[in-house]
Amino acid sequence: QVRLIESGGGSVQAGDSLRLSCAASEHTISRSAMGWFRQTPGKEREFAAVISWNAAHSFYADSVKGRFTISRDDAKNTVYLQMNSLNPEDTAVYYCAAASSYLPMRDYQYDAWGQGTQVTVSS
């Protein structure tokens, strides 16, 4: 099974930007849709963004649309989440995940998950 490791999280001020990375090992992700989810304590994991295996399509949650951009570099076996105009509501642990379906937006559709990276946005 593919192993996913997120990085790039941190503590920033409102309005700042961060770029999260998700590096895959053990297996290629070139045939996998890749998604980003986020979770805050006491809440369910929330879908943020997904990109299809061929990068032809992507989809975003309304809460991040226009501010976040998902991309992939299959040569590096890595997926990115560029996050701009961050606000305190974006504070969460961010997870990347891999799926065999085309553009999944539910967590149960994903087969492999990373351990998460914390993003904290202060006002």
Side-chain angles (χ1 to χ4, degrees):
Q1 189 176 11
V2 65
R3 183 185 179 199
L4 303 172
I5 300 177
E6 303 94 335
S7 62
S11 296
V12 297
Q13 298 289 318
D16 287 349
S17 299
L18 278 176
R19 188 177 81 156
L20 305 183
S21 298
C22 172
S25 62
E26 309 297 336
H27 293 282
T28 177
I29 59 169
S30 62
R31 301 296 293 182
S32 298
M34 298 299 296
W36 286 95
F37 288 74
R38 62 188 186 181
Q39 188 171 26
T40 55
K43 294 187 177 181
E44 293 186 356
R45 194 155 44 188
E46 174 191 28
F47 165 79
V50 60
I51 188 167
S52 60
W53 69 269
N54 56 6
H57 296 93
S58 58
F59 191 82
Y60 299 90
D62 287 344
S63 56
V64 308
K65 194 177 299 181
R67 300 186 299 121
F68 290 12
T69 302
I70 189 171
S71 61
R72 64 189 300 154
D73 184 344
D74 288 344
K76 296 182 178 180
N77 225 23
T78 300
V79 176
Y80 304 97
L81 185 68
Q82 177 67 43
M83 306 187 296
N84 298 330
S85 302
L86 286 162
N87 59 61
E89 290 69 40
D90 296 317
T91 295
V93 176
Y94 284 72
Y95 299 90
C96 72
S100 56
S101 51
Y102 188 68
L103 211 61
M105 285 169 269
R106 302 293 180 93
D107 56 2
Y108 63 81
Q109 295 175 293
Y110 286 80
D111 308 305
W113 292 83
Q115 83 291 345
T117 185
Q118 176 71 47
V119 172
T120 302
V121 185
S122 56
S123 57

